[in-house]
Amino acid sequence: MSGKRVATDAEFIEVWQTAGSVNKFCEILGLDRRNALRRRRNLEMKYKIKLPTQDTRYEHLQTAHRHKGRYEAGIENGTVIVFSDAHFWPGIRSTAFKGLLWAINELKPKAIINNGDAFDGAAISRFPRIGWDSKPSVIQELHACEACLGEIEEAAEKAYKNCKLIWPLGNHDARFENRLAQNASEFEGVAGFHLKDHFPAWIPCWSTWLTDHVVVKHRYKGGIHATHNNTVGSGKTIVTGHLHSLKVTPYSDYNGTRYGVDTGTLADTDGPQFVDYLEDSPTNWRSGFVVLTFKDGQLLYPEIVQKFSEGQVQFRGQVIDVGHL
């Protein structure tokens, strides 16, 4: 079969069942990974079948219903990039998002963690509409997430072949399933009714343990001193999002030094996701993400990549142009 011809459903299913891995399947049919996984999901729904994979990168899909809330990544050496609160919106690619693509290419991380709230759920919020504001529909948001997360997946694949893609659920992400569970509970178990069904490349969880001492989850304690209180209260280095503050707070005691880290927001802080409910008020928010580097199982001082100006980010004392990405 030529890669230039679109395989029939029967051919797709036959090759998937015999190829042995996603990479081999894509090589045979001349498809990229993202489109192959999307069509596989559609065929499972269309024919009410299961098309499991032996590719270890996607083995979590076969046991997703048995997932514990904690995913243990086991990072001993190398770099991990953590972003959060992207609130992906149709047609918008923020400066921090472009900076993330640049960092993935430059740093070649062993794992990329989408630390919650990639999906905003504006149309299904429990809060009432503000005036006559216009919000994207659920399907428009899903397409925006697919587009942006797809770019991240492709960048990760090029940068580091076995890069882990991990997604601790955020409170905005939870809106998707919460609305369905509350209003259409009869459809429990139907494909597509879980947010993770739409993003098969990402490992879903509530928290990611990079080591026994470093935890990544969307939120823990709140307030202006959350990063301090998080690490004091947990006894761990704890990396959270939710508050959009983008900062690192060290804390030392008899056990040594650990860190409370806030990963900021990947969105622009004055973006349409926020403008109406903020009422043009100032915010103690910053747009960017965090880089974690491990040496023999020990975390080095966490580093911040922050938006400097439109099309530019700052990192390690330099201003990097990312507007072309």
Side-chain angles (χ1 to χ4, degrees):
M1 286 176 284
S2 170
K4 297 181 181 180
R5 180 174 66 84
V6 177
T8 66
D9 289 356
E11 289 170 336
F12 186 102
I13 293 169
E14 179 184 358
V15 175
W16 187 278
Q17 291 173 332
T18 59
S21 74
V22 176
N23 286 340
K24 183 66 175 177
F25 172 85
C26 291
E27 181 182 335
I28 294 172
L29 289 187
L31 298 173
D32 64 65
R33 183 187 294 267
R34 182 180 168 203
N35 287 330
L37 289 169
R38 180 181 292 115
R39 188 173 177 192
R40 170 233 190 169
R41 182 171 67 247
N42 291 338
L43 291 179
E44 286 183 322
M45 296 172 65
K46 179 179 180 180
Y47 295 109
K48 296 181 174 58
I49 60 175
K50 291 294 183 182
L51 297 174
T53 173
Q54 297 176 24
D55 190 327
T56 56
R57 183 179 171 189
Y58 295 94
E59 65 185 1
H60 63 280
L61 296 177
Q62 302 173 47
T63 58
H65 64 287
R66 296 196 298 269
H67 251 304
K68 296 185 298 183
R70 178 183 301 183
Y71 178 77
E72 297 181 0
I75 303 294
E76 284 291 316
N77 291 284
T79 298
V80 175
I81 295 177
V82 187
F83 72 92
S84 72
D85 300 273
H87 299 275
F88 289 124
W89 209 255
I92 295 178
R93 297 169 76 252
S94 70
T95 292
F97 173 76
K98 296 175 184 178
L100 176 64
L101 298 180
W102 168 84
I104 292 170
N105 180 65
E106 289 291 317
L107 303 177
K108 307 190 185 315
K110 288 191 173 180
I112 299 170
I113 301 178
N114 168 14
N115 198 22
D117 287 358
F119 177 84
D120 185 81
I124 51 176
S125 169
R126 62 186 173 88
F127 299 105
R129 186 177 182 183
I130 302 174
W132 303 107
D133 64 348
S134 177
K135 298 175 180 176
S137 66
V138 171
I139 191 64
Q140 288 174 325
E141 280 202 36
L142 285 176
H143 286 163
C145 288
E146 286 176 348
C148 290
L149 292 177
E151 286 193 69
I152 295 170
E153 292 165 24
E154 291 168 7
E157 177 74 10
K158 292 177 182 177
Y160 185 78
K161 196 69 174 179
N162 296 313
C163 180
K164 296 178 180 179
L165 303 176
I166 309 167
W167 189 344
L169 193 70
N171 55 298
H172 279 256
D173 301 321
R175 288 177 175 178
F176 183 90
E177 291 175 34
N178 288 349
R179 173 59 69 92
L180 292 168
Q182 292 166 11
N183 296 283
S185 59
E186 301 85 354
F187 289 85
E188 183 175 358
V190 174
F193 273 54
H194 295 277
L195 188 62
K196 65 189 176 189
D197 294 342
H198 300 272
F199 306 99
W202 297 80
I203 301 170
C205 58
W206 281 114
S207 67
T208 302
W209 288 57
L210 297 175
T211 70
D212 290 340
H213 307 288
V214 181
V215 182
V216 183
K217 64 193 311 291
H218 180 65
R219 59 180 178 174
Y220 182 31
K221 297 182 182 296
I224 190 172
H225 301 297
T227 50
H228 172 84
N229 292 332
N230 283 346
T231 191
V232 172
S234 67
K236 308 287 185 182
T237 285
I238 186 162
V239 183
T240 55
H242 190 59
L243 298 179
H244 301 187
S245 67
L246 192 61
K247 61 186 177 184
V248 177
T249 304
Y251 180 81
S252 300
D253 57 18
Y254 285 131
N255 295 311
T257 299
R258 55 189 185 270
Y259 307 94
V261 182
D262 185 305
T263 49
T265 172
L266 203 68
D268 290 319
T269 57
D270 59 353
Q273 306 95 318
F274 315 122
V275 64
D276 284 320
Y277 78 80
L278 287 175
E279 301 177 2
D280 196 33
S281 299
T283 62
N284 187 21
W285 295 357
R286 283 159 288 279
S287 183
F289 52 93
V290 168
V291 175
L292 307 177
T293 303
F294 292 85
K295 174 67 174 175
D296 297 330
Q298 183 173 343
L299 176 65
L300 307 185
Y301 200 101
E303 299 175 285
I304 284 174
V305 181
Q306 183 175 335
K307 178 181 177 180
F308 180 76
S309 63
E310 194 65 31
Q312 294 183 317
V313 296
Q314 54 181 310
F315 180 55
R316 294 179 179 172
Q318 296 184 349
V319 174
I320 299 103
D321 289 317
V322 296
H324 62 286
L325 296 173

